[in-house]
Structures are given as structure tokens and as C-alpha cells.
Amino acid sequence: MNFDFSEEQKLIKKTISEFVQREIKPIVNKMERENYFPYEIIKKLGQLGTLGGYANNIDTISSCIIIEEISKVSPAIGVIISVHNTLVCNGIYEFGSEEQKAKYLPSLIKGEEIGAYALTESHAGSNALAISTSYKKEGNKFIINGRKIWITNGPQARYILLYAVKDKQNPKNSITCFIIDTKREGFKVGIIHNKLGLKGAHSSEIILDNYIAYEDEILGKEGEGYKIAMKLLTGGRIGIASQSLGLAIGAYELALNYSKEREQFGKKICEFQMIQYYLSEMITRISASKLLTYYAAYLKDKGENCRLEASMAKLYASETANFVVDRAIQIFGSLGYSADFDIQRYYRDARVLTIYEGTSEIQRLIIAKEILK
Ligand SMILES: Cc1cc2nc3c(=O)[nH]c(=O)nc-3n(C[C@H](O)[C@H](O)[C@H](O)COP(=O)(O)OP(=O)(O)OC[C@H]3O[C@@H](n4cnc5c(N)ncnc54)[C@H](O)[C@@H]3O)c2cc1C
């Protein structure tokens, strides 16, 4: 058993951590206050070689390192990258034809184009089989109509992996994944959702109005979309577990440092046993999240089925992040409640972690299904 990162992974960690301090930290407030989308950061991350997932020789462990390091400071950029790398680039790499890989991946790897993943609809959240965005075939054309909601990177994406159904009575075998080009007629971005947190990452409605796709824009085979969607979400959940882990570490470190500075009753507050209890609980749960997340990543890199481990990592790391931000605010006292301090941003950003890419309830269902099969 070896818990060490490889030399290359250590270098990635160091490089990204320095990049985050130098390039991301200075724009976090702008993203937060102005809902600013950091295009220039995505391009620079492309130049650093951190985009593209497997297609760019980034294994899952390295992908976790990248998302964790970024999310320590900006969970919003963490999710932009997680969707782009783990769902879109890995999706095209794992299920795409050679022509599709050659057509779409180079610009996604460079960060010149951004990817999104569109499954959710107003009546189909946890139950993805209930989607009603539909397609029909006419000659060599696939005509797609419908609306998706909450699509991360929706307003910025050039390419979207979008799921549409042919026969609503038999969705399991008739959902197809299309690679949508957002520059084509028939595609529109709808409302951009106003969110509690993750302000710099935009989620939007997207509208397909007689959008025409062609055979060579189907990812995998026609009718295999549901299987592809679920398989990609397993990898995506390891990404969100890494985002949760990074966010939790960021919040914990702020609280730890503050507890060493703040004095009450003539003592640093970290000298009080109750504060020590909070800090020790926080770091213990963070460490457990780290082990679960990197173990799931390790299994994925070995090509093993990691559905159970990915769900356990996502469930535990996202709930830990919410536990940690709550305790961190407690340690900050009134300053934790002030919009002028960073810690409240972590508190707001953390809340969605137990909701997207499968709620905590759905993760528990998957875990139960895996252990009882
Ligand atoms: C910021 C943000 C970004 C997102 N990005 C994307 C994206 O890029 N692409 C995309 O496709 N989607 C995206 N989503 C959608 C997200 O994945 C869904 O919101 C999520 O799957 C839950 O669906 P829902 O909101 O419809 O909740 P619902 O499915 O309506 O669930 C409501 C509640 O009921 C519970 N519940 C549902 N079914 C069961 C059950 N069988 N047993 C027990 N409890 C159950 C849920 O756990 C939850 O607590 C995003 C959402 C947000 C908020």
C-alpha cells in the first residue's frame, strides 16, 4: 500500500497551488461581487496543461489534485473545471469516435472552448429517466426540442453533452447523448439562475428549438445515453468530492488561523478545549474525505468499477464540507457572519455540494444498491 503521490503528481500540486495564490486569489472577490466569469483563468489553466482529463494525460488522481487545490480558494472555479474535465472531456475521450476526439478535444484542452453537461430538467432532477427533451429522426437529421435547467457553464459553453429521449415510454433504451454546438441555430441560453453561492460559476437554462444534430454528433450509440450519463456521473462525483475536499480545507485553514489570533478572556481562543474539539473534528473528517476521494480516484485509474466508492466519497466529502463551514463560522463568531470576510462565501458555496451531481439521498440509494446486489 502506498499513500504517496508520484513525483509528477507532487509537481502538479505545487504548480497549481502557486497558480491559485498568484492568479486566482486576486480575482475571487470580483467573481463574487460581480458574478464575473473568469475566462482568462480558464485559458491560463489550459496553458498550464490542466484541462482535458484523460485526453490530456491527466489521470483521475491528478484531476482530483487540480480541483482540490483550486477549490481551496475558489470552489466556483473548482466546479467549472470539474464539469469541463470530468464530465465533458472525459465523456468525449471515453465514448467518442476518433473523429469526435480530433474535432472537439483540442480546443477544450487548450481552454479556448468550454464544455457543459445537460441532463437536468424542471421535472427531471434526481429521476433522470423522466427527461422530456426529445428528438426525432428525419432523414439524416436528428431534430431536438426541449429545455434543460441548472446547466453549469451553460452560458459560456461551446459544446454541450446533452441528453434527449426518443420514446418517453422506454427512456432507458432511447435516451441519446448529443454533442451540441451552441453556435448553431436552434440553441439558446435561457435565464441564468440567481444562486446562493458559487457566484463566478454560471448555471443556466438552455433551450433547444428545432436544433438539428447529425449522426456524427451522437456520443456513443443512439439509445445508450442513459448508460453514458450515469457512467460519467460516477467520475463527476469524484470531481465534486475533490471540490468539497478543497473547500473544506480552505475553510478549516481560515478558522484554524483565526483561532490562533483571536483572544478572549486573556487567551487565544484555540486554547479553549471546545474550540480544539471543533478543530479536531474538522480535520479528522477532512482526512477521512481525502482518503475516500483519492481511493475512488485510484480505483478509477485502475479501470475498476468505482460506483460505490465514488458515491461514498461524494456523500462524505460534501457533508463534511458543510459540517466544516458551519464550525468555521462558529469559530469566527460575529465576523463569520460578516459579508466582509471570506468565510461566509465558503458557507454559501458549500450548500450545493450535497445537491448537485446526485443529492446525498441519491448517493445513499446508490451505496445501498451496490452493497445489496
Ligand atoms: C448550482 C447547480 C449546478 C448544477 N449543474 C448541473 C449541470 O451542470 N448539469 C445538470 O444536468 N444538472 C445540474 N444541476 C442539477 C442537479 O444535478 C439537480 O438539482 C439534482 O440532481 C437534484 O435534482 P432536483 O433539484 O430536481 O431535486 P429533486 O430530484 O426534486 O429532489 C428534491 C429532494 O427529494 C429527494 N429525493 C428525490 N428522489 C428521492 C428518492 N428516490 N429517495 C429519497 N429522496 C429523494 C432529493 O434527494 C432532494 O432532497 C445543478 C444544480 C445546481 C443547484
Side-chain angles (χ1 to χ4, degrees):
M1 192 183 256
N2 180 3
F3 284 100
D4 290 329
F5 288 135
S6 68
E7 288 309 312
E8 197 185 334
Q9 288 160 348
K10 284 183 197 159
L11 183 63
I12 291 174
K13 194 170 175 74
K14 181 169 177 292
T15 309
I16 296 293
S17 159
E18 288 168 359
F19 177 83
V20 166
Q21 292 303 317
R22 193 177 64 244
E23 306 276 350
I24 295 184
K25 206 169 176 188
I27 64 150
V28 163
N29 280 339
K30 182 177 164 78
M31 288 171 62
E32 184 65 13
R33 303 232 155 99
E34 300 169 23
N35 283 331
Y36 174 73
F37 186 89
Y39 280 108
E40 74 283 12
I41 296 291
I42 309 304
K43 284 225 171 81
K44 285 182 185 172
L45 283 168
Q47 286 156 9
L48 264 187
T50 60
L51 302 183
Y54 288 135
N56 197 18
N57 287 321
I58 301 168
D59 60 17
T60 311
I61 291 184
S62 304
S63 172
C64 289
I65 292 171
I66 293 164
I67 297 167
E68 178 193 331
E69 288 306 316
I70 292 173
S71 302
K72 284 180 185 173
V73 170
S74 174
I77 298 182
V79 72
I80 295 169
I81 300 305
S82 186
V83 168
H84 180 88
N85 278 357
T86 68
L87 295 177
V88 183
C89 295
N90 282 350
I92 295 172
Y93 182 79
E94 282 180 44
F95 297 100
S97 64
E98 289 312 312
E99 290 74 23
Q100 287 172 336
K101 289 180 200 173
K103 178 172 175 190
Y104 300 109
L105 286 172
S107 60
L108 292 167
I109 288 173
K110 287 188 199 131
E112 290 166 358
E113 305 291 3
I114 294 170
Y117 174 97
L119 183 61
T120 303
E121 299 178 10
S122 57
H123 291 91
S126 300
N127 182 10
L129 285 173
I131 61 169
S132 55
T133 293
S134 63
Y135 73 91
K136 62 178 181 201
K137 201 170 174 187
E138 279 182 11
N140 66 343
K141 295 176 181 161
F142 295 80
I143 301 165
I144 308 174
N145 281 289
R147 274 170 190 257
K148 300 280 178 183
I149 57 168
W150 285 113
I151 305 310
T152 301
N153 299 341
Q156 291 82 24
R158 171 70 192 272
Y159 302 119
I160 302 185
L161 302 191
L162 177 130
Y163 300 86
V165 65
K166 188 160 79 176
D167 174 8
K168 284 183 201 157
Q169 304 310 314
N170 179 22
K172 220 170 197 164
N173 298 312
S174 79
I175 290 177
T176 297
C177 179
F178 292 94
I179 307 175
I180 300 294
D181 183 342
T182 61
K183 288 206 169 151
R184 193 174 298 168
E185 208 181 317
F187 175 87
K188 264 203 318 242
V189 172
I191 56 160
I192 297 177
H193 302 295
N194 191 8
K195 307 199 299 319
L196 176 68
L198 297 178
K199 297 286 190 181
H202 300 172
S203 301
S204 74
E205 198 181 23
I206 61 171
I207 301 162
L208 288 302
D209 181 10
N210 285 325
Y211 178 96
I212 297 173
Y214 297 91
E215 184 88 38
D216 61 359
E217 291 164 344
I218 290 177
L219 189 70
K221 292 201 180 100
E222 190 184 353
E224 286 189 350
Y226 184 69
K227 236 170 36 196
I228 292 174
M230 294 303 117
K231 187 131 192 260
L232 289 179
L233 281 174
T234 295
R237 282 168 189 149
I238 302 175
I240 300 304
S242 322
Q243 186 204 12
S244 305
L245 175 63
L247 185 155
I249 294 172
Y252 162 78
E253 286 177 351
L254 288 177
L256 176 66
N257 291 338
Y258 183 73
S259 76
K260 292 180 189 166
E261 288 164 12
R262 174 72 171 169
E263 290 186 8
Q264 286 294 282
F265 301 100
K267 282 181 173 176
K268 309 277 185 212
I269 61 169
C270 67
E271 292 174 52
F272 298 128
Q273 276 194 348
M274 270 189 270
I275 300 294
Q276 292 172 0
Y277 173 87
Y278 288 158
L279 290 168
S280 51
E281 276 281 298
M282 289 155 87
I283 192 62
T284 304
R285 294 189 194 199
I286 286 170
S287 300
S289 300
K290 188 177 277 179
L291 291 171
L292 283 168
T293 302
Y294 282 95
Y295 182 58
Y298 160 81
L299 290 179
K300 184 157 196 308
D301 283 338
K302 282 212 309 177
E304 290 189 17
N305 175 8
C306 60
R307 202 167 136 80
L308 170 67
E309 291 78 7
S311 280
M312 292 197 299
K314 201 272 181 182
L315 171 66
Y316 194 80
S318 62
E319 298 209 337
T320 291
N322 279 281
F323 171 85
V324 167
V325 292
D326 181 75
R327 292 301 181 278
I329 295 253
Q330 198 65 23
I331 290 171
F332 269 86
S334 59
L335 296 189
Y337 200 65
S338 162
D340 294 333
F341 285 77
D342 261 354
I343 195 67
Q344 51 76 34
R345 174 171 58 82
Y346 286 83
Y347 186 80
R348 288 182 291 102
D349 285 355
R351 194 59 194 87
V352 75
L353 298 170
T354 60
I355 296 172
Y356 60 22
E357 298 210 21
T359 63
S360 282
E361 291 76 16
I362 296 301
Q363 302 312 323
R364 287 185 170 91
L365 289 182
I366 296 171
I367 292 165
K369 196 169 165 196
E370 288 294 311
I371 57 179
L372 293 171
K373 74 181 179 191

